[in-house]
Amino acid sequence: MTASNSASASSSDSPMIEVEGLNKWYGDFHVLRDIDLTVARGERIVVCGPSGSGKSTLIRCFNHLEEHQQGRIVVDGVTMTQDVKRIEQIRRNVGMVFQHFNLFPHLSVLDNCCISQIWVQKKPRAEAEKTAMEFLERVQIADQAHKYPGQLSGGQQQRVAIARALCMRPEVMLFDEPTSALDPEMIKEVLDVMVELARDGMTMLCVTHEMGFAKTVADRVIFMDQGQIIEQAPPETFFNNPESERTQLFLSQILGH
Amino acid sequence: MGRDIHSRLDMQRSSSERGPLWRDPAVRALVIQAILLLALLGFIAMIVTNTLANLEARGITTGFGFLQERAGFSIPQTLIDYSGDSSYARTFVVGLLNTLLVSGMGIVAATIIGFIVGIARLSSNWLMAKLAAAYVEIFRNIPLLVQILFWYFAVLQALPSPRQSLSLFEAFFLNVRGLVVPAPEPLPGFSATLWALLLAVIAVVGLSVFARRRQARTGKALSVFRLGALILIGLPLAAFLATGRPLAWDVPTLSGFNFNGGVTVIPELVALWLALSIYTASFIAEIVRSGIQSVPQGQVEAARAISLPGDVTLRKIVIPQAMRVIVPQLTSQYLNLTKNSSLATAIGYPDLVAVFAGTALNQTGQAIEIVAITMAVYLLISLVVSALMNLYNARTLLKER
Amino acid sequence: MATRTEMIEARRPPDMRRGVVGWLRANLFNGPFNSVASLLTIVLLAMVLWPLAKWALIDADWLGSTREACTGEGACWVFISARFETIIYGFYPDAARWRVDLVLTMMALLIAWLAIPRLPAKRWVGLFALVGFPIVAYFLLLGGHFGLEAVPTREWGGLMLTLTVATVGIVGSLPIGVVLALGRRSKMPLVRSLCVVFIEFWRGVPLITVLFMASVMLPLFVPTEVEFDKLLRALIGIMFFWSAYMAEVVRGGLQAIPSGQEEAAKALGLGYWRRMGLIVLPQALKLVIPGIVNTFIALFKDTSLVLIIGLFDLLAIIRAGLTDSNWLGFATEGYVFAALMFWIFCFSMSRYSQYIERRLHTGH
C-alpha cells in the first residue's frame, strides 16, 4: 500500500519528523533529556528500552498528546506550537496505535473507522464507509465491521485500531507498545499487519519489545534509558555489536531466556 | 547531532512560529474567562441594583439590626430559656437547637434501623430478606413530606385525648398532645454515678490498649468485649447502689385535662422523628447491603485459605473494607437527614426553617438576611462534614502505585 | 502414560431439586435461629397484613358522592373518588381539560418509546422529548395562542402540576448538569471554581430554603415592574437545585471513562467539543443512566415540597380536601392515597433503573 502523499505541504525529500533539543518534565521529574532525532520518509524505526525510560512519552510528543517544554518538533514540515490549528494539522498526518487499543466501545467497528473521516476530514458518509471497508479489508477484519469492539478479541481490536488510524491516510504511524496487552497467540496477527504496512513503505515509529519484528522490519533501532537516546543503529549492528554497556545489559535481559 | 551544535530552542519563545494569537489555547482560555468574569459581575451588579430599588420601593431597611429586636412570639418546644420577650437572635438559636435535636435523634434511629434492615436483606432466611427488601422499596419511594404528614395527621392526630391516653406501665402516656414520659431527677450524690461512668470509660479504653499491646508482645488474645461491657455497666451500677440510689423519677400524672410532671415530647417532634428515621433508614439499608456486597468474595476465600476464623475474617477483613464504602455514603445520608429536617415547617415543628425563615421572616420582612443566614447555617454544616469526610477518605485510601 | 482417544461428551447434572419441602428447609428453616425468625416474621406479617387488607379492601367503601356513602368499618375511598377530577387536574377549567389529557398522553408515549430498548430512532425521539415536547406542552397547557383559551398557572394543580414540575425539573436540570460537570473538569481555573461553588452551594442547602428563596427573594432580584409567575419561580429554583446533583452524577460517569478514549480521539484530530459530544459524553451518560434515573426519582418525590410555598400539587390538593368541613377525619385515606400515587411513579422508575443497570452489567 502506498501512503498518500498528496496532503504533504513540503517537498518529499525533507525529513518526516525532525526533533531538536527536546526536553520534557513531569513536575520536577526530567522525563526526556536533550533528544535529537530525524526520521526520514519511509523509514521504519523501533524504539526500545526499559520501562519508564521515556520511549512512550517521546512518541506521544509527536502528535501533542504530551506537551514538551523545550526544543523543536517538526512533523512533515509543520512545526509543533501551541496553535490549535497546527496541532490539528499534525494530528491528521500522524496515525497512532495504542497499547490498550482505545477503540470507542459505543461505536461499531465501522463507525470507529469513519468518525474522524466524517468529523475531521468532512467526507460524506458513503465515501467514509468505503474507505473504512477498504482498510478493514487490508487488516482482514472486514467481516466484523458491524460488530462492537467489546465483541472482538484483543488481536482483532488492535487490527481495527490500525485500520482506524490508516483511514485518515496518515504520513506516519506511531505504535505505542501495540502488542504488550495481547495474549501470546494474538501477537502474530497484529505483527503480520504491521510487517505488511512496513513493506508498503509507511513511515513507522514503533515502541515495542518484539525484537523479531525489529530484526525483520526496522531500518534503525533506538535504545532509550532514563529519558535519553543511548544508542541507535541498524538492527544487525544493534543486536550483534551493541556499543554501550546499558544496551548490552538490556539485550541480555530480554533475549537471555 | 550533538546538543552543543543546536542550542536549546524554547518553543514558547520562538515567536515567528507561534501562529495567530487567537488560536493559542492559553490566550483563548484567558479571553473566555475574562468574558465569563465580566458577565458574572454584570449579573451581580444587576441583581444588587434591582434589589436595592425594590427594597426602597417597599420601605424595607437592610441590615442585621433586627436580630436584636423583640420577637414577640412563643415557641412550643425550646431547649433553652425563651419567651416572647426574647430577641430574634435567640429565636434563631432556639430553632437551630431544635433542628440539631431532631437531626441527632433521627441519625441514631435511622442508623439502627438501617443496619438491621440492610443486614436482614443479606440474610439466608428468604422471608427475612424479602421483608427487608419490601421495607426498602416501600419507604424510599414515598416522598418524605407525605410520610411526615401521614404520621402527624393520620396517626398522631387520631390519638385519644389526654384523659383516654394510651399508657404503658402507667408511666408513659401517648395522646394527641404528644408523648409524656417520666423525667429523671438526680438527687444529691448522683454525681458519684456519673464519675464512676467516666472512670469506667477510661478503664475500658486503657484495657483495650493494654490488650492490643499484650497481644502484639506475647500473642495472647484477651476478649475485651465482655470484660469491657462488664466494667462499663458494673462500675456505675455499683456506685449508684452504694450511694443509695440517688435518682428519683418525676412520673406524669393526669390532673384535669392534662398531665402534670414528666417530660412531654410534642407530637410534631415524634412525627418528624419517625418519618425521618424510617425514610432515611431505607437508604442506609441499601448502603449497608451494597457495602458488604462490595467486598469481593475472593477476600473471604483468601481469609479462609489462610485459615482465619470466621469472626476474625469478619472483623479484620470484611468490615474494614465494607466500611470504606459505607462511611462516606452514610455521612451523606446524615447530611440529607439534617437538611430534610427542614420539612418540619409543614407540621409546625419549631426548627430553624419554621421559626426563623418562617415566623421571623413574616414578622420582619427581612427576606434576604434571613434566607441568607438560614442557607449559610446548612451550608456550613455541609461543608464542615464534607471536609471531615475528605479527611477520612484520604486516610483510608488504599495505597496504590 | 495412556492417551485419551475419544473426547468425553458433556452430560446433564444430576437432579438436585427437592420440591416445596426442600425449598422451605433450605430457605426458611435452616437452623434453629432461622426457624424461630421465620415463624416470628410469619406471625407478624399476619398480624399486620390481614387487618390492613380488611381496612383497605374488604371493608372499604368505594362509590358515592358524600361521606354518608361510607358506612363500613374500613377505608372511605369515597373521599378520593368524589374528588378524583380535582386530584388529577387541579382547578384547570373543565372545557380545557382535553389539553391536559393530550399532553399527558404524549408524555406517556414518549417515555414508553424511550424506555423500551427495541424501538428505533431513540436519538430523534429523545431530542423531541427534550426540545419539541416542552414547547408543545407549554403552548397547550398555558394557552393564549392559536385560539386556545389562556389558563393562568394559579389554576393548575393536582397530578398535572406535579408532573409539570417534575418534567420541567428533569428536562432543565440534565443539560445544566452536563455543562456544570464539564465545567468542573475544565482546565480554566475560573470556570472550574465557578462550577464548584455553584454545585456545592446548591448541594449544601435544603430544597425548602431554595424554594423560600425563590418565592421571597427572586422577586427582589428583578426590576419592580416585572411580574414573576410563582410557578416559574419555583421551577427555576428546582432546576438549579437539581442540576447540581445531576452534575455530580455526570461527573462520576466522566471520571469512569478511561483517559485513553480522549487520547485516541485527540490522535484522530477531533476537537474538544467533538471529543466530548461524540466520544466521552455518549459513553459517560450511558454509564450513569441508573444514577440519572435515581436523581429523577429524588426530584419527583421532592416536587411535593412546592406545597410549602403554596402551590397546589397532588399532595397539596389532597391536604386541602382534608380541611373541607364536610370531609373531616379522612386523613389516613388521603395520605395513603397520596403515598400510593407517588409510590407507583417512583417504584416504576427505580425498577427501570435497576433493569438498565443489569443490562449495562451484562452487555454494552
Side-chain angles (χ1 to χ4, degrees):
Chain A
M1 150 182 49
T2 46
S4 128
N5 287 320
S6 57
S8 167
S10 58
S11 61
S12 55
D13 52 335
S14 71
M16 188 69 237
I17 297 177
E18 235 184 319
V19 180
E20 281 175 8
L22 181 70
N23 275 288
K24 177 173 173 56
W25 289 263
Y26 284 132
D28 285 338
F29 179 59
H30 200 168
V31 267
L32 293 177
R33 306 179 190 177
D34 296 336
I35 304 276
D36 292 314
L37 177 68
T38 307
V39 184
R41 278 171 199 280
E43 195 179 8
R44 292 160 300 245
I45 294 180
V46 163
V47 186
C48 61
S51 75
S53 60
K55 46 195 197 308
S56 286
T57 313
L58 176 65
I59 70 162
R60 285 159 63 89
C61 283
F62 297 163
N63 64 349
H64 203 262
L65 285 185
E66 301 281 352
E67 209 171 294
H68 59 290
Q69 280 98 29
Q70 272 181 352
R72 203 170 109 97
I73 300 175
V74 184
V75 180
D76 200 17
V78 182
T79 310
M80 181 88 70
T81 63
Q82 290 281 12
D83 184 340
V84 284
K85 274 272 163 4
R86 279 192 190 198
I87 292 170
E88 200 179 294
Q89 196 185 341
I90 289 173
R91 283 178 179 161
R92 284 176 194 218
N93 284 335
V94 179
M96 187 166 204
V97 175
F98 298 86
Q99 178 178 3
H100 295 289
F101 332 135
N102 293 357
L103 291 180
F104 306 130
H106 62 306
L107 302 177
S108 69
V109 165
L110 189 62
D111 285 340
N112 262 283
C113 295
C114 288
I115 191 160
S116 60
Q117 297 185 66
I118 291 173
W119 293 99
V120 180
Q121 295 182 323
K122 320 270 188 214
K123 281 196 209 169
R125 179 153 199 111
E127 197 186 314
E129 285 189 1
K130 197 166 147 275
T131 314
M133 287 311 290
E134 206 176 288
F135 283 105
L136 287 173
E137 205 80 61
R138 294 207 71 97
V139 300
Q140 287 164 14
I141 206 156
D143 50 329
Q144 315 275 2
H146 294 284
K147 286 196 177 169
Y148 283 85
Q151 296 166 301
L152 305 183
S153 74
Q156 290 174 317
Q157 289 195 43
Q158 194 60 299
R159 284 188 280 145
V160 172
I162 294 173
R164 177 176 74 178
L166 290 175
C167 280
M168 294 285 285
R169 301 192 184 273
E171 298 284 322
V172 53
M173 287 282 285
L174 307 175
F175 291 86
D176 187 0
E177 308 207 21
T179 55
S180 308
L182 295 176
D183 290 336
E185 75 266 25
M186 293 171 183
I187 291 177
K188 188 172 173 300
E189 61 183 74
V190 171
L191 287 180
D192 285 348
V193 171
M194 290 169 64
V195 169
E196 203 199 320
L197 201 59
R199 263 190 216 128
D200 289 339
M202 174 63 80
T203 316
M204 291 167 73
L205 263 147
C206 310
V207 173
T208 184
H209 290 146
E210 295 296 331
M211 290 303 135
F213 175 77
K215 279 177 189 160
T216 47
V217 169
D219 297 318
R220 191 162 26 137
V221 180
I222 292 178
F223 174 69
M224 286 183 71
D225 194 12
Q226 296 184 353
Q228 32 214 311
I229 295 180
I230 304 290
E231 184 162 355
Q232 39 184 319
E236 311 85 63
T237 332
F238 183 83
F239 289 111
N240 299 330
N241 304 303
E243 274 178 34
S244 96
E245 255 174 59
R246 285 167 192 267
T247 317
Q248 289 162 12
L249 180 67
F250 176 73
L251 284 176
S252 73
Q253 277 168 346
I254 77 169
L255 299 173
H257 43 87
Chain B
M1 276 189 264
R3 73 192 106 131
D4 32 354
I5 304 170
H6 293 277
S7 62
R8 285 183 180 176
L9 280 170
D10 190 347
M11 63 179 288
Q12 307 287 348
R13 260 177 265 142
S14 53
S15 56
S16 63
E17 288 168 350
R18 270 183 93 160
L21 219 49
W22 64 85
R23 290 208 311 240
D24 185 331
V27 177
R28 282 185 176 188
L30 266 179
V31 172
I32 292 173
Q33 295 188 77
I35 293 172
L36 192 66
L37 189 66
L38 280 179
L40 187 72
L41 290 178
F43 182 69
I44 292 173
M46 190 188 81
I47 282 184
V48 169
T49 14
N50 282 338
T51 308
L52 289 180
N54 278 315
L55 289 177
E56 205 178 294
R58 295 180 195 191
I60 302 172
T61 50
T62 50
F64 294 94
F66 74 94
L67 283 173
Q68 307 311 321
E69 287 167 23
R70 181 178 176 277
F73 62 92
S74 64
I75 297 176
Q77 176 194 292
T78 59
L79 295 179
I80 54 172
D81 284 338
Y82 177 87
S83 72
D85 287 329
S86 306
S87 65
Y88 285 114
R90 201 155 179 93
T91 312
F92 167 78
V93 177
V94 169
L96 181 58
L97 287 175
N98 282 343
T99 290
L100 294 177
L101 173 74
V102 73
S103 304
M105 287 166 63
I107 284 171
V108 172
T111 309
I112 295 170
I113 306 173
F115 269 79
I116 292 173
V117 175
I119 291 167
R121 276 204 76 173
L122 295 171
S123 158
S124 63
N125 186 322
W126 183 86
L127 205 58
M128 245 157 77
K130 287 291 162 204
L131 198 66
Y135 175 95
V136 170
E137 290 299 352
I138 289 172
F139 288 108
R140 77 169 175 181
N141 284 319
I142 296 174
L144 176 61
L145 187 57
V146 177
Q147 297 193 33
I148 292 174
L149 294 178
F150 174 80
W151 288 114
Y152 187 65
F153 288 109
V155 178
L156 295 182
Q157 293 290 304
L159 286 173
S161 66
R163 296 182 70 96
Q164 277 93 38
S165 290
L166 306 171
S167 82
L168 189 66
F169 310 129
E170 290 298 316
F172 298 84
F173 298 93
L174 190 63
N175 60 53
V176 70
R177 298 219 185 124
L179 178 69
V180 193
V181 296
E185 276 189 348
L187 303 175
F190 184 68
S191 57
T193 311
L194 294 180
W195 283 113
L197 186 67
L198 186 68
L199 201 69
V201 170
I202 295 171
V204 170
V205 171
L207 183 72
S208 61
V209 171
F210 165 76
R212 209 175 315 132
R213 292 222 181 116
R214 196 182 72 145
Q215 193 185 6
R217 211 173 50 244
T218 65
K220 274 185 217 150
L222 179 71
S223 172
V224 180
F225 184 75
R226 277 180 212 159
L227 195 59
L230 194 70
I231 295 174
L232 218 49
I233 296 168
L235 209 59
L237 193 67
F240 182 66
L241 295 176
T243 48
R245 289 191 273 180
L247 184 69
W249 290 94
D250 181 13
V251 179
T253 48
L254 188 70
S255 68
F257 292 100
N258 220 332
F259 280 93
N260 264 340
V263 177
T264 305
V265 185
I266 57 173
E268 290 82 10
L269 176 61
V270 179
L272 190 63
W273 180 52
L274 271 173
L276 279 175
S277 319
I278 291 175
Y279 179 75
T280 312
S282 68
F283 290 90
I284 292 180
E286 277 301 274
I287 291 169
V288 170
R289 177 183 69 92
S290 68
I292 294 174
Q293 281 180 338
S294 77
V295 181
Q297 187 58 28
Q299 293 289 312
V300 180
E301 286 168 6
R304 279 201 200 125
I306 56 173
S307 67
L308 285 183
D311 64 316
V312 178
T313 307
L314 201 64
R315 267 191 300 124
K316 297 287 178 192
I317 310 292
V318 177
I319 290 180
Q321 295 190 55
M323 281 321 251
R324 253 206 337 263
V325 176
I326 291 175
V327 171
Q329 300 185 54
L330 203 57
T331 325
S332 109
Q333 282 306 322
Y334 290 165
L335 276 181
N336 280 349
L337 189 147
T338 310
K339 283 186 277 176
N340 282 336
S341 72
S342 59
L343 293 182
T345 182
I347 53 169
Y349 172 75
D351 84 320
L352 180 62
V353 170
V355 297
F356 195 60
T359 317
L361 192 152
N362 286 338
Q363 288 192 3
T364 61
Q366 305 281 351
I368 295 183
E369 294 85 349
I370 288 183
V371 173
I373 293 176
T374 314
M375 282 184 155
V377 168
Y378 287 102
L379 206 55
L380 193 71
I381 297 175
S382 294
L383 291 180
V384 168
V385 174
S386 306
L388 290 176
M389 211 61 270
N390 287 343
L391 222 66
Y392 172 85
N393 285 341
R395 270 192 52 192
T396 57
L397 198 68
L398 282 185
K399 304 287 182 292
E400 281 173 23
R401 312 178 43 185
Chain C
M1 224 190 279
T3 311
R4 191 178 285 286
T5 51
E6 272 171 47
M7 301 302 278
I8 300 171
E9 292 288 310
R11 288 189 299 262
R12 293 176 58 79
D15 197 356
M16 299 287 277
R17 280 170 300 154
R18 284 172 299 178
V20 179
V21 179
W23 184 88
L24 282 178
R25 191 168 288 166
N27 292 298
L28 295 184
F29 301 102
N30 48 343
F33 174 77
N34 262 343
S35 306
V36 174
S38 296
L39 285 176
L40 277 178
T41 320
I42 291 168
V43 171
L44 201 76
L45 272 180
M47 275 169 58
V48 173
L49 284 185
W50 174 241
L52 191 68
K54 218 162 130 63
W55 174 82
L57 302 171
I58 299 166
D59 291 345
D61 295 294
W62 301 85
L63 294 172
S65 52
T66 58
R67 67 178 305 151
E68 278 67 48
C70 291
T71 47
E73 291 278 293
C76 177
W77 297 121
V78 179
F79 170 73
I80 301 296
S81 57
R83 56 185 67 239
F84 194 69
E85 296 257 300
T86 320
I87 290 175
I88 303 291
Y89 300 105
F91 317 110
Y92 212 84
D94 281 342
R97 284 184 181 169
W98 62 271
R99 281 145 61 179
V100 178
D101 295 337
L102 189 61
V103 168
L104 292 184
T105 316
M106 263 169 80
M107 192 163 110
L109 287 177
L110 280 174
I111 291 173
W113 193 292
L114 289 173
I116 299 171
R118 260 171 313 172
L119 294 175
K122 284 270 177 337
R123 188 175 301 180
W124 299 109
V125 176
L127 202 67
F128 177 72
L130 282 180
V131 183
F133 172 68
I135 297 172
V136 174
Y138 173 84
F139 282 113
L140 270 175
L141 291 180
L142 207 56
H145 295 272
F146 312 113
L148 293 173
E149 182 203 350
V151 182
T153 57
R154 63 172 181 277
E155 291 178 12
W156 299 16
L159 180 65
M160 171 244 163
L161 183 73
T162 295
L163 290 176
T164 307
V165 174
T167 313
V168 174
I170 288 170
V171 172
S173 64
L174 187 58
I176 304 179
V178 170
V179 172
L180 285 173
L182 290 176
R184 197 169 180 164
R185 285 161 57 94
S186 165
K187 288 200 191 79
M188 294 180 248
L190 186 70
V191 174
R192 193 175 52 234
S193 35
L194 272 181
C195 289
V196 170
V197 168
F198 188 90
I199 291 170
E200 294 307 327
F201 172 75
W202 296 111
R203 276 162 41 91
V205 297
L207 179 55
I208 199 159
T209 60
V210 175
L211 290 173
F212 268 129
M213 185 173 131
S215 73
V216 300
M217 268 166 87
L218 264 189
L220 296 177
F221 291 165
V222 294
T224 327
E225 57 280 4
V226 175
E227 192 70 36
F228 215 166
D229 188 83
K230 191 180 195 175
L231 176 62
L232 181 63
R233 280 180 277 160
L235 288 176
I236 292 175
I238 287 173
M239 232 152 53
F240 280 153
F241 182 81
W242 288 105
S243 68
Y245 286 84
M246 211 59 97
E248 286 302 278
V249 172
V250 174
R251 187 166 72 112
L254 292 176
Q255 279 171 342
I257 305 301
S259 59
Q261 290 292 311
E262 241 203 293
E263 283 176 0
K266 270 187 194 168
L268 289 174
L270 295 170
Y272 175 81
W273 292 106
R274 296 256 159 80
R275 289 203 296 273
M276 292 300 140
L278 295 171
I279 307 298
V280 179
L281 276 176
Q283 296 184 56
L285 289 180
K286 194 170 178 185
L287 210 60
V288 292
I289 288 177
I292 292 175
V293 178
N294 284 339
T295 313
F296 286 170
I297 296 174
L299 189 158
F300 189 84
K301 282 186 292 183
D302 275 3
T303 56
S304 55
L305 265 63
V306 297
L307 165 155
I308 291 165
I309 57 165
L311 290 171
F312 282 94
D313 76 320
L314 177 66
L315 181 61
I317 286 270
I318 289 174
R319 195 176 67 153
L322 291 169
T323 56
D324 182 342
S325 53
N326 292 323
W327 290 95
L328 291 177
F330 293 119
T332 314
E333 284 85 346
Y335 291 121
V336 166
F337 179 76
L340 191 68
M341 292 288 275
F342 277 103
W343 186 84
I344 289 170
F345 280 98
C346 296
F347 183 69
S348 352
M349 280 195 273
S350 91
R351 273 291 129 131
Y352 178 69
S353 132
Q354 285 165 19
Y355 159 74
I356 287 289
E357 204 159 1
R358 269 197 306 277
R359 259 172 68 94
L360 286 175
H361 271 298
T362 49
H364 49 87

